[in-house]
Every structure is written in structure tokens, then in C-alpha cells.
Amino acid sequence: MVIKMLRCLKCGRAHEPARTLYTCEKCGGKLEIVYDYDAVAEKIDKKALAKRSMGVWKYRELLPVDDPKNIVTLNEGGTPLLEARNLARELGLKHLWLKDETRNPTASFKDRPMSVGISKAVEFGAQTVVTASSGNAAIALAAYAAKAGIKCYAFVPADAPEAKLAQLSIYGARAIRGAPKGIGDPAYKLMQIAHKRYGWHPIPSCSAFNPYQPEGSKTMSYEIIEQLNWQVPDWVIVPTGAGTLVSGNAKGYFEFEQLDFIDHVPHLAAIQAEGCAPLVRGFKEGKPPHEIPTWPNPKTIAGGLVDPYPWDADIAIPAIRKSEGAAETVADAEILEAEKLLAKMEGIFAEPSGAAGLAGLGRLLEAGVIDRSDVVVVEVTGSGLKDIKIVTQLFEVPPVIEPELKQLEGLLEKLR
Ligand SMILES: *Cc1c(COP(=O)(O)O)cnc(C)c1O
């Protein structure tokens, strides 16, 4: 690790990286981790990276953990970048790639940030961690806490899907559902209350309360660039809730540019569901990110993208603008269609939130923002097995017949 300092994004105060610190000690603002890139460049170059095996910790010099002994890993990251020829043909595109994050240990990209978040908590000597999440971040944190042998409390929304709650519980996390009350996010409120009262280390999936974990998401960008043989794609499309993933991704590209591994960055597109799109609205209206209001009554099938308050819009929106990118919403019907297309045409089963990027690609092609000759990467962020309710409703229960040719023939006649 080659951290220069932790800088407060609100008051600018610089902090030494050595101490247990989650927010600015002066104003409580969000901390940004600043690396000494000259020192990083002395330790790694393209050739050295090419020799290492894939995964998040391949990029350890660009991650905020001091002692490799503290790394808690389940072999996250190193996911395939799959060429989607069938979908490309369907959409009239020349080059379409899917970053398949469903292959991570707990089946979403959140394993990248949570591996980093837990490793740093271990370095700080944490006994107990606490999170607020719509599901996937809590699940990932629970798995890594289990591996590290530390206690995990998770505050989740009252309507979290059954499969996600089960996955959370089997890893041994104490899951508590927060009921909505007034404005703001009940899960986040509970996390803050518990952090203050009990001193549990906060590891939600946004940087407002923990600056270390978002660093894990940078590794998706590093991998995409390496998997494309150091070519920069024209567009990278990112399903978006609080804006942490897209801002983490952006930092990865800017760092590779800073290190001269690439000479420009891709355009980033943040995609939110129509039923909860505070970040996209803020982007389009050009509001200062701190003035973006909490989204009232969020409603979408993409539960992983429900962040009524976009905690990291203040980092995400400027980063998207700097990349000359875009932000767009998609309807639930489009998300469901994208989920079906991913499975039927490319063999990838994504949860609705994980398919939202592909739905967004459709919109951006129609609007002429993305050109059909562009090289496009769509991030598929979470597995369909986490949220099967809608899918179960789409299909009839398979028929039962006796093991006889006649019955089979009769049935095939009908199925045709
Ligand atoms: C968390 C999550 C995202 C991105 O959310 P951000 O809050 O913007 O970081 C996207 N897809 C899935 C499946 C997620 O769980």
C-alpha cells in the first residue's frame, strides 16, 4: 500500500492513513484515499501485472491495506469479460462485452468492496462490523466476516427478498430489518445509531461511512482494461444505486490513466430504475449533488438499486461528467426484458439490478448517445438466483408425464 493521505472531500483536511478512521475527524465529511502514484509506478508496470494471477488483490499496491497478512479473501474478482455475440447481433452492435460479476463468491460484485472493507477492519482490530444494505452488500460483508471470524450485524430493508435474507443468515450475520419512518433510509439510520452506541466498525457499500471498501470496485476497471489487452472501451455501462460502484469504477480508470497504462478513460453510463432515480435526475437537472433530495416512495423490481438517497452522487456525478458519460433511467419492463435476453441469448442469469445495465444500453442506443460501432462493456452485477420471485411468475411449472413415448409425443405436439 502506498497511501499518501486521507483527504476530506468536505473541508479538505488531510489525515494520516495510519489510524482507525472512517470519516473526517474535524467535520465528519467523506474521506478520499489519495495514493502516491509515483511510488506505485515504481512497484508495478503493465508487464508485472500481466504475470500475476487474476483477482482483486492482484492490484494490492492500489488498495488501502498495509499488511498482506490482514487480507481476507475468498478469491473474489477475476471475473470473465465475455463477448456477447448473440446480443450484439440482436442490438446491431459491433462489439459488446459483458463483465460477468455474478461469478463472485457470494454472486455479486459487492465481494470486491467487502473483501477490502473487512481486510481494513481486521487491520484496525475490529471485533464487530455493521452494515446497511438492500441485500448484496450485507451478504458479501457477512461472508467475509465469517471468513475473518468477526461478528456481523446487518440492517436491511423491510422488503428484502427471501433468498437474500436466507443467504445473509446462513453466513451467520445477525440480520435486522428496518421499517421506513419519515425521510431517509431506515437501514442507514440504524447503522449510524449502532456505530455510535456500540463502536461497531461501519462497512456499508457507500463511501460516506467507510472510504476503504469502495476501493475494491476499482479492480473491475483494471480487469476490463487488461482483458481488452490494454484497449479502452468506448462505453462502460453501470447499474447504479447510491453511485458508489460507478464512482469506484471511475477512480480505477483515472488511476490507470495517471499511471500511463491508458491514455484516456471510457465514457461511463450510470443506469437507475425509473422508480428510484435520484442520481440520474440530479445529473440531468445539473443540481449540486448535495442538494439532491431523497427519492420519495421508491418502487422497482431492481431492489439492489434502491438507494433513495444517492450517498455518493457527489463523487459519481463529477466523475461521469469528466468521462463525458451519461446517466439514464429504465422502466421495470425493460429491466425484465433485459434479464430474459441475458439468460436466453448469452447464458447469464442476472438479478433485475444486475440486468439494468443492458436495459440502459437499449435506451442509450435509441437516443443515439452510444453509436452502434462503439466498443461497449455492460456490467452484469448480481446473480438471478438472489431474487427469483419475478422469474418464477414468468413461467409455468413444468408439466409431469409418465415415462412413455406416447405421452412425450403428445406433450411435444402441444409445446411446439
Ligand atoms: C449494489 C449494487 C449495484 C450498484 O449500487 P451502488 O449503490 O450504485 O454502488 C448494482 N447492482 C447490484 C446487483 C448491486 O447489488
Side-chain angles (χ1 to χ4, degrees):
M1 181 196 60
V2 207
I3 293 182
K4 220 188 228 167
M5 62 171 159
L6 276 74
R7 182 168 50 209
C8 176
L9 288 173
K10 205 164 150 197
C11 74
R13 188 188 178 101
H15 300 72
E16 288 285 322
R19 313 179 9 238
T20 303
L21 202 64
Y22 285 107
T23 47
C24 175
E25 57 188 353
K26 190 169 158 211
C27 76
K30 199 182 280 187
L31 295 172
E32 176 195 24
I33 298 175
V34 183
Y35 296 83
D36 178 348
Y37 293 106
D38 292 335
V40 172
E42 274 171 28
K43 295 192 178 189
I44 47 168
D45 56 19
K46 287 186 186 181
K47 253 202 199 137
L49 285 178
K51 278 193 205 129
R52 297 182 184 176
S53 56
M54 283 183 78
V56 163
W57 297 98
K58 163 176 178 165
Y59 308 99
R60 57 188 174 269
E61 288 84 356
L62 288 157
L63 294 171
V65 174
D66 269 322
D67 187 345
K69 280 207 294 288
N70 295 322
I71 292 174
V72 183
T73 179
L74 293 164
N75 268 357
E76 52 292 326
T79 58
L81 185 70
L82 300 164
E83 184 159 19
R85 292 217 176 86
N86 299 330
L87 266 177
R89 204 177 310 121
E90 174 83 10
L91 295 167
L93 275 168
K94 281 216 181 88
H95 312 280
L96 177 60
W97 300 86
L98 302 172
K99 184 66 172 159
D100 184 7
E101 291 292 303
T102 69
R103 315 260 193 124
N104 277 297
T106 77
S108 86
F109 86 86
K110 293 284 197 317
D111 292 328
R112 296 176 188 265
M114 289 308 161
S115 172
V116 175
I118 278 281
S119 300
K120 195 64 193 174
V122 165
E123 196 151 270
F124 286 151
Q127 305 287 320
T128 305
V129 293
V130 60
T131 193
S133 149
S134 65
N136 286 339
I139 288 166
L141 183 67
Y144 287 87
K147 178 87 177 167
I150 55 187
K151 233 187 222 170
C152 176
Y153 289 88
F155 296 111
V156 298
D159 60 355
E162 210 176 325
K164 286 189 179 177
L165 288 174
Q167 200 186 359
L168 187 54
S169 304
I170 195 84
Y171 290 128
R174 279 78 166 164
I176 298 160
R177 293 186 296 160
K181 189 180 172 213
I183 47 167
D185 187 323
Y188 270 94
K189 277 190 190 161
L190 285 164
M191 181 194 71
Q192 286 167 277
I193 291 171
H195 166 55
K196 234 172 133 184
R197 172 69 180 81
Y198 305 111
W200 300 341
H201 291 237
I203 318 187
S205 70
C206 72
S207 47
F209 307 95
N210 185 306
Y212 309 100
Q213 54 78 23
E215 298 288 297
S217 299
K218 299 189 304 194
T219 58
M220 275 167 79
S221 306
Y222 304 155
E223 286 176 14
I224 288 169
I225 293 294
E226 283 202 75
Q227 286 168 317
L228 290 174
N229 242 327
W230 304 98
Q231 299 298 304
V232 180
D234 295 301
W235 284 90
V236 177
I237 306 188
V238 188
T240 298
T244 319
L245 174 60
V246 69
S247 52
N249 283 172
K251 190 170 180 185
Y253 294 115
F254 292 131
E255 287 180 330
F256 262 23
E257 190 183 33
Q258 171 102 25
L259 289 164
D260 270 335
F261 292 174
I262 52 177
D263 61 8
H264 66 289
V265 304
H267 307 296
L268 295 167
I271 308 299
Q272 291 199 299
E274 249 168 35
C276 185
L279 190 143
V280 173
R281 184 183 277 175
F283 181 88
K284 289 192 171 179
E285 291 176 355
K287 266 210 174 83
H290 293 287
E291 288 171 25
I292 295 176
T294 302
W295 191 271
N297 308 316
K299 199 177 177 314
T300 167
I301 56 169
L305 306 183
V306 174
D307 286 276
Y309 183 71
W311 290 104
D312 283 326
D314 56 330
I315 317 177
I317 291 178
I320 297 166
R321 289 207 200 285
K322 200 169 156 196
S323 81
E324 294 173 28
E328 197 47 82
T329 60
V330 287
D332 276 4
E334 293 166 275
I335 292 176
L336 197 54
E337 187 55 30
E339 183 173 343
K340 285 196 263 182
L341 279 178
L342 272 174
K344 267 178 78 168
M345 304 198 78
E346 299 295 342
I348 299 178
F349 185 20
E351 67 178 297
S353 306
L358 180 62
L361 170 59
R363 279 269 180 119
L364 294 169
L365 283 169
E366 256 168 54
V369 174
I370 295 182
D371 194 89
R372 290 194 149 76
S373 64
D374 284 343
V375 178
V376 179
V377 174
V378 171
E379 295 178 357
V380 182
T381 46
S383 162
L385 290 173
K386 285 165 170 282
D387 193 355
I388 58 165
K389 201 159 133 210
I390 307 135
V391 181
T392 341
Q393 288 161 3
L394 286 179
F395 302 96
E396 281 171 31
V397 179
V400 180
I401 58 168
E402 277 153 35
E404 288 165 10
L405 179 60
K406 230 175 155 182
Q407 286 210 13
L408 179 62
E409 279 178 338
L411 185 69
L412 290 180
E413 206 57 50
K414 266 191 270 164
L415 286 180
R416 221 162 264 152

